[in-house]
Amino acid sequence: MAIRGRPRGFNRDAALARAMEVFWAKGYEATQLADLVSAMGINPPSFYAAFGSKEKLFREAVDIYLTTVGSGTMKMLMETANAPEAIRAMLTASVGIALSNPGTGGCMVALGLVNCQLQNAELRAHMEALRQATVALIKRRLEHGVAAGDLPGAIDVDGLAMYFAMVIQGLSLQAQDGATRDDLLRIVSTAMAALEHARSV
Amino acid sequence: MAIRGRPRGFNRDAALARAMEVFWAKGYEATQLADLVSAMGINPPSFYAAFGSKEKLFREAVDIYLTTVGSGTMKMLMETANAPEAIRAMLTASVGIALSNPGTGGCMVALGLVNCQLQNAELRAHMEALRQATVALIKRRLEHGVAAGDLPGAIDVDGLAMYFAMVIQGLSLQAQDGATRDDLLRIVSTAMAALEHARSV
DNA sequence: CCCAATCTGTAATTTCAATTACAAAAAGCA
DNA sequence: TGCTTTTTGTAATTGAAATTACAGATTGGG
């Protein structure tokens, strides 16, 4: 049997994409329902019927952020041949993302939920887990680089992975502070010295 | 003539110190008056009489943060003899501060007001100006290092200054994500490679 | 000792943002 | 067509957080 009842008057995926942009631009807590429903072109009841709550919507928004906006960085990381080049490509992609933020600047995973209230601690933990996953991915790429001979076997892959994750987060904050593309790319080049140095040990 | 009226029943400076800790721990927007007055041991009317508003109190709290907690990093930066050592000392001091945050971790200037609402844009600009001042200070120290022969004359002092400011911010976010002292110090050592590399150019 | 000035505690008030009530609308099915 | 189901728009409702009203308390000055 077909779907009963009045059909939904808006495109759920399109509305979700709009919501993602708003969350990305303003962060979870600074975004209010009024911003969301306005950007999505719907009213509160439609919102709650389709997405459940602000928090559930945010989780969905992060999901599509990762599979759309964010996927590029990880793709660069995993698919660029030489390990140092892969790291550089990832950071360069991060710069692009940080600057394409429709609002203040920065990566949604890095800055979407900083300094939250106790009531949102669980959501914050979710974001933190995503960031830890990034660290793990960088570490794996470095290990692969060592195995492939791109990097010396003596390097501290754990330390370097944390370092580059830190760089991604730092780039986001710099973007929020108004850094230009040229500024951020210069920072990336400087940051890459960590690997240049590791290679020459 | 002496002061008329009932004397204040609490120590304003002590209360301000408590408030600073709360703001440092939770950030501006996640901190609510109830947290503040509770930590300060006073009631709302005393609070407003003595400090004016939450925003004014925050500005005062940032001021004493800078002159107490934060002064160590800049002291290290300006008073350590060798320029690369000065940078390292500054970053090491930042690690100590980030870990001494009574709450989630991180530097109050770096993370005290991220993702704020439009109504707090002016306050955010104030924080941003403080961060820019840090960049300027780092730049000056690097220039001094070049003049003193600690660093080669060809280095990009602007780029390096932004880079190390980014590191301070990134360290704060890493601290919030649960990084240990050992983790952060390893990141600092890795970050220092940027200067090691610059020296050997 | 009384008055003016200032602080304190209790208890509003105000404002604003998330969420829901409810009746009308729009579809399928008998 | 009448019934059921689901969505929609308007307009509450709820809840929380910043700020203030007000009466009582405590001081110095005359």
Side-chain angles (χ1 to χ4, degrees), chain A residues 103-124:
Chain A
T104 336
C107 163
M108 183 175 179
V109 173
L111 303 183
L113 189 47
V114 185
N115 282 333
C116 67
Q117 336 234 161
L118 274 183
Q119 75 204 74
N120 294 321
E122 200 176 332
L123 190 53
R124 195 197 179 289

Side-chain angles (χ1 to χ4, degrees), chain B residues 16-167:
Chain B
L16 177 55
R18 295 291 130 65
M20 185 269 277
E21 287 169 11
V22 176
F23 276 132
W24 185 15
K26 314 181 72 160
Y28 177 70
E29 296 199 301
T31 298
Q32 42 199 61
L33 253 316
D35 300 326
L36 292 168
V37 295
S38 162
M40 298 163 98
I42 59 177
N43 288 308
S46 300
F47 174 90
Y48 282 96
F51 298 102
S53 69
K54 182 181 164 186
E55 174 178 342
K56 284 182 184 161
L57 174 65
F58 183 71
R59 288 175 185 268
E60 282 200 56
V62 170
D63 286 344
I64 68 155
Y65 174 86
L66 288 173
T67 58
T68 59
V69 178
S71 69
T73 59
M74 293 306 114
K75 192 175 158 74
M76 287 292 127
L77 179 66
M78 301 316 273
E79 298 183 5
T80 302
N82 181 273
E85 286 312 309
I87 297 285
R88 178 185 286 274
M90 172 190 72
L91 295 179
T92 304
S94 286
V95 168
I97 289 174
L99 292 171
S100 66
N101 179 312
T104 337
C107 161
M108 184 174 179
V109 173
L111 304 183
L113 189 48
V114 184
N115 282 333
C116 67
Q117 334 232 161
L118 273 183
Q119 75 204 75
N120 295 321
E122 200 176 332
L123 190 53
R124 195 198 179 288
H126 178 235
M127 303 300 286
E128 193 174 316
L130 294 177
R131 292 189 289 266
Q132 296 299 344
T134 301
V135 177
L137 224 54
I138 296 173
K139 179 184 173 187
R140 205 176 316 158
R141 182 65 188 86
L142 292 172
E143 286 171 340
H144 184 260
V146 170
D150 299 338
L151 294 166
I155 65 167
D156 174 12
V157 288
D158 280 294
L160 284 168
M162 282 193 300
Y163 167 77
F164 286 115
M166 178 280 289
V167 171

Side-chain angles (χ1 to χ4, degrees), chain A residues 111 115 131 163 169 177, chain B residues 111 115 131 163 169 174 177:
Chain A
L111 303 183
N115 282 333
R131 291 189 289 264
Y163 168 77
Q169 292 176 317
D177 277 0
Chain B
L111 304 183
N115 282 333
R131 292 189 289 266
Y163 167 77
Q169 292 178 316
Q174 284 293 119
D177 277 1

Side-chain angles (χ1 to χ4, degrees), chain A residues 61-83:
Chain A
V62 170
D63 286 345
I64 69 156
Y65 174 86
L66 287 173
T67 59
T68 58
V69 178
S71 70
T73 58
M74 294 305 116
K75 192 176 158 72
M76 286 293 128
L77 178 66
M78 301 316 273
E79 299 184 4
T80 302
N82 180 273

Side-chain angles (χ1 to χ4, degrees), chain A residues 170-185:
Chain A
L171 286 172
S172 284
L173 284 173
Q174 285 292 119
Q176 279 205 345
D177 277 0
T180 66
R181 177 176 305 270
D182 186 62
D183 292 336
L184 297 181
L185 291 178

